[in-house]
Amino acid sequence: SSRLDSEVEEALLSPSLPGTLGREGDTPGEPPTVVRFDDVSKVYNGATTKAVDGVSLDIRAGEFFSILGPSGSGKTSCLRMIAGFEQPSSGRILLDGVDVQGIPPYRRDVNTVFQNYALFPHMSIEANVSYPLRMHRVAKHEIAERVAETLALVEMEELRMRFPHQLSGGQRQRAALARALVGRPKVLLLDEPLGALDLQLRQQMQLALKQLQRDVGITFVYVTHDQGEALSMSDRMAVMSAGHIEQVGTPREVYFHPNTPFVAGFIGKANLGRGTVVLESGAAVGHWGGISFPMAADTPLGPCAFSLRHESVSLSDGAGDITVRGTVEEVVFLGDSSEVMVAVDGMTLVAKAPAHIGFALSNGQAITASFKATEVVRIDG
Ligand code: ADP
Ligand code: MG
């Protein structure tokens, strides 16, 4: 669309020439914050709900930072406010410590890779990639040098004379990346950039993107609804739901210590339910359905939510310290594994089991499941 084209051009005209690669941080030892959301909300014209609702966030120099959330949770809106295509309704966005309100996209040291690549169809790949430098009237020899360097970075040197329609989806994506990187923006914004690729290519590109980001040291803000992508590539990630941030942390923190039932349910596959923690003979004990298990001594008492990952529930003898008896309700074959639903004391516990174990089970059969008490996560609320 023409709106998109003009956005692409604006985004490509970011002012960061010559490059800011390898710039030292403002505070020795601590990477500076390059993107800050300060209580940012966004209400679109005519909308009754906030697309973005009180988001505060610090993204540091050199980070691969992902924003993960389901469709409609406000990820793209956040990205577009960083780029300057949308304005916050309230709150502030700071780039490199400067409030960017009123600063147009082309004057922000930020570039965007769009999901649909948005390459100029009538230009060769080389012309596409050199375009931002030509617009900035960079000297010819420097353009040649930087285009060559950037095409090498994305392994597209051989294809530089081709036109976009002569490339595969993955190649187009790499060309779009090169065009966004050639001006060496301080921050690269990527909005579901691999969404149009098939699974295998997507996984290859995930690795390539992560390596590329490490090589160039540019801060990446990566929007995706795909948890696998966020978990495998990010240094840190924010999980969004309905316009607000549920949790910010490293992939490990978010995966193993979800702060909210939403995060526990959205990332990975987990048994989720309500229960309570009570003091019994001086020790904290969790009760969840008919199951009880010891909790750490400092666990807050009272009602809470519990989460236990499918892969934390074992159907082999002696794997966990808490053993429950139940019956097989259902077995779902997933290819590399099976999901086994076990009816236990009025609740269903789902176990991720090796496929061959799933094959050997039939509905209604008695079964013993076990888990480690330490793998049960207590969640507020
Ligand atoms: P995501 O990228 O996570 O799918 P978006 O930021 O695109 O989410 O959208 C968040 C919410 O804002 C959605 O309810 C969406 O319908 C709404 N929205 C997005 N863009 C606009 C717009 N230009 N005008 C009105 N509503 C919008
Ligand atoms: Mg989106």
Side-chain angles (χ1 to χ4, degrees):
S1 72
S2 60
R3 190 192 72 164
L4 187 58
D5 283 348
S6 71
E7 286 183 358
V8 170
E9 295 202 21
E10 274 193 277
L12 291 172
L13 295 180
S14 66
S16 58
L17 303 168
T20 49
L21 259 188
R23 198 193 71 124
E24 288 303 314
D26 309 321
T27 329
E30 262 279 305
T33 294
V34 287
V35 180
R36 167 168 288 173
F37 279 69
D38 180 10
D39 200 16
V40 171
S41 292
K42 174 71 183 176
V43 184
Y44 287 102
N45 279 341
T48 49
T49 56
K50 292 178 178 175
V52 174
D53 188 0
V55 165
S56 292
L57 192 62
D58 277 348
I59 300 172
R60 299 177 204 133
E63 270 192 311
F64 196 120
F65 191 96
S66 296
I67 301 176
L68 171 70
S71 175
S73 56
K75 308 179 298 292
T76 295
S77 300
C78 285
L79 220 57
R80 291 173 59 80
M81 288 190 283
I82 301 174
F85 299 129
E86 298 288 351
Q87 305 306 317
S89 308
S90 64
R92 300 183 312 154
I93 290 180
L94 290 85
L95 294 182
D96 238 5
V98 176
D99 186 343
V100 289
Q101 182 175 14
I103 299 182
Y106 62 88
R107 293 194 44 225
R108 300 185 182 198
D109 198 351
V110 156
N111 237 334
T112 306
V113 177
F114 297 89
Q115 176 171 356
N116 57 4
Y117 321 133
L119 292 167
F120 302 119
H122 56 285
M123 289 185 202
S124 70
I125 294 314
E126 187 177 76
N128 261 283
V129 174
S130 64
Y131 177 84
L133 303 180
R134 288 186 277 126
M135 294 311 284
H136 278 281
R137 304 186 189 287
V138 173
K140 275 218 172 95
H141 69 276
E142 196 186 336
I143 293 184
E145 209 169 283
R146 288 176 61 170
V147 168
E149 187 187 295
T150 311
L151 285 173
L153 207 58
V154 297
E155 294 175 26
M156 288 286 290
E157 306 109 301
E158 317 265 274
L159 303 172
R160 67 185 196 286
M161 295 322 291
R162 296 244 188 121
F163 283 78
H165 74 270
Q166 298 171 314
L167 298 180
S168 72
Q171 291 164 342
R172 264 181 256 174
Q173 187 52 265
R174 299 211 304 267
L177 257 173
R179 191 182 58 178
L181 283 169
V182 77
R184 300 279 201 262
K186 186 161 287 168
V187 179
L188 189 65
L189 308 175
L190 304 103
D191 194 352
E192 314 236 12
L194 308 183
L197 307 180
D198 59 51
L199 180 64
Q200 223 170 1
L201 190 53
R202 208 154 72 217
Q203 286 169 345
Q204 275 172 28
M205 284 294 292
Q206 286 171 17
L207 267 177
L209 260 180
K210 179 65 200 165
Q211 265 162 14
L212 183 73
Q213 189 268 341
R214 257 190 228 128
D215 292 346
V216 296
I218 291 174
T219 308
F220 276 30
V221 184
Y222 190 95
V223 158
T224 180
H225 67 271
D226 181 321
Q227 45 154 318
E229 243 172 62
L231 291 172
S232 63
M233 288 193 287
S234 317
D235 296 313
R236 289 192 308 143
M237 58 200 274
V239 183
M240 283 192 83
S241 158
H244 65 268
I245 291 185
E246 293 268 334
Q247 185 168 2
V248 178
T250 64
R252 276 196 197 192
E253 284 164 355
V254 169
Y255 191 85
F256 290 112
H257 304 286
N259 276 345
T260 68
F262 177 84
V263 175
F266 187 68
I267 299 187
K269 290 187 165 182
N271 295 283
L272 266 175
R274 296 202 56 81
T276 186
V277 181
V278 295
L279 209 56
E280 287 170 15
S281 317
V285 177
H287 291 277
W288 179 8
I291 312 173
S292 342
F293 39 88
M295 303 282 305
D298 57 354
T299 307
L301 304 179
C304 62
F306 285 117
S307 161
L308 179 64
R309 299 213 163 275
H310 291 181
E311 68 265 29
S312 297
V313 180
S314 171
L315 302 178
S316 332
D317 282 343
D321 46 13
I322 306 296
T323 299
V324 294
R325 284 175 212 297
T327 54
V328 174
E329 254 177 11
E330 190 79 63
V331 181
V332 180
F333 175 54
L334 297 178
D336 60 345
S337 63
S338 298
E339 260 174 26
V340 181
M341 290 155 210
V342 183
V344 181
D345 270 339
M347 65 188 273
T348 298
L349 215 48
V350 183
K352 178 177 178 176
H356 70 273
I357 289 190
F359 287 141
L361 297 172
S362 42
N363 294 357
Q365 179 182 337
I367 194 165
T368 301
S370 70
F371 59 89
K372 294 194 174 83
T374 50
E375 294 191 357
V376 179
V377 179
R378 179 205 167 276
I379 301 170
D380 272 326

